[in-house]
Amino acid sequence: PWGRLGLPSDVFTACLMSPVRAALTFYRVRGEGGSVLPEVASAAPRLVNGKPQDRSTPLGELTSIFTAVTDAIAWSSLPASVFQRLFREDGSLAEICRNFLLAVRVLRAFGLRAASRPALPEGTHSHHLWEVWDSTLEVFLLRLMQQQAFPASQPSPVPPSSPSAPLSKQQQQQQQQQQ
């Protein structure tokens, strides 16, 4: 069934190994259902490129935002001692746990459940901060589409300083040059 939706055959592993790419695919699938802007959803995979560790690239910036959102979800959902052990003592374990939060969300959207030890509190899949991630993803993708449609030599119809979306280093430099 995953292939018909354009999802990888192992959605769980995709979420664990490439969370932003998996989130973009999930965003695209939801967009085809009409819940997000369809033109943005279909363009998402080709717009987001770069390295996850490089915040000057779209993939790096989204990875940084994903980390902040998932850490906030975990911090507000888990007991302090569990959060500290899973998200602060070991960077690799923290990354897998963040990605697992995404896997729980994506799988739950298809009526499936992922289990962990210790178990996550009920409701992490529908935590209100996922709405922040969704909104940020949409605004971020809209801005990338605008940058492609209106290169730096042409003025964009939307002002570059919107408080609802983060600016990449390149965008910040362009903004400073324009001032």
Side-chain angles (χ1 to χ4, degrees), residues 11-91:
V11 174
F12 180 75
T13 301
C15 289
L16 293 181
M17 302 307 291
S18 302
V20 172
R21 296 261 180 234
L24 287 167
T25 303
F26 181 60
Y27 178 86
R28 183 187 48 74
V29 168
R30 288 184 356 172
E32 291 169 357
S35 63
V36 294
L37 297 173
E39 65 277 3
V40 176
S42 64
R46 71 175 167 76
L47 290 173
V48 179
N49 51 31
K51 296 182 179 182
Q53 309 85 351
D54 183 1
R55 282 197 61 185
S56 68
T57 67
L59 181 58
E61 188 64 25
L62 282 177
T63 299
S64 177
I65 296 166
F66 175 79
T67 298
V69 169
T70 51
D71 275 5
I73 291 170
W75 180 82
S76 65
S77 301
L78 298 171
S81 61
V82 175
F83 174 79
Q84 183 67 30
R85 188 174 76 235
L86 297 178
F87 286 83
R88 293 296 181 256
E89 290 181 6
D90 180 335

Side-chain angles (χ1 to χ4, degrees), residues 142-165:
L142 279 169
R143 291 180 128 221
L144 286 175
M145 286 179 66
Q146 288 172 346
Q147 285 177 353
Q148 285 191 351
F150 300 96
S153 62
Q154 297 177 349
S156 171
V158 177
S161 58
S162 167
S164 61

Side-chain angles (χ1 to χ4, degrees), residues 95-171:
E95 185 175 353
I96 290 292
C97 290
R98 283 184 206 104
N99 302 353
F100 183 79
L101 287 171
L102 174 67
V104 167
R105 179 185 191 219
V106 171
L107 291 174
R108 187 63 74 98
F110 295 103
L112 302 171
R113 292 179 180 252
S116 65
R117 297 288 180 252
L120 290 175
E122 188 61 34
T124 55
H125 70 282
S126 60
H127 195 283
H128 69 275
L129 288 175
W130 285 119
E131 293 175 22
V132 172
W133 169 251
D134 293 338
S135 297
T136 300
L137 193 58
E138 189 153 306
V139 169
F140 193 89
L141 292 169
L142 279 169
R143 291 180 128 221
L144 286 175
M145 286 179 66
Q146 288 172 346
Q147 285 177 353
Q148 285 191 351
F150 300 96
S153 62
Q154 297 177 349
S156 171
V158 177
S161 58
S162 167
S164 61
L167 295 175
S168 70
K169 287 182 182 179
Q170 182 182 10
Q171 290 169 322

Side-chain angles (χ1 to χ4, degrees), residues 168-179:
S168 70
K169 287 182 182 179
Q170 182 182 10
Q171 290 169 322
Q172 291 171 356
Q173 290 171 347
Q174 288 174 348
Q175 191 176 23
Q176 289 172 352
Q177 289 173 352
Q178 291 173 354
Q179 294 174 355

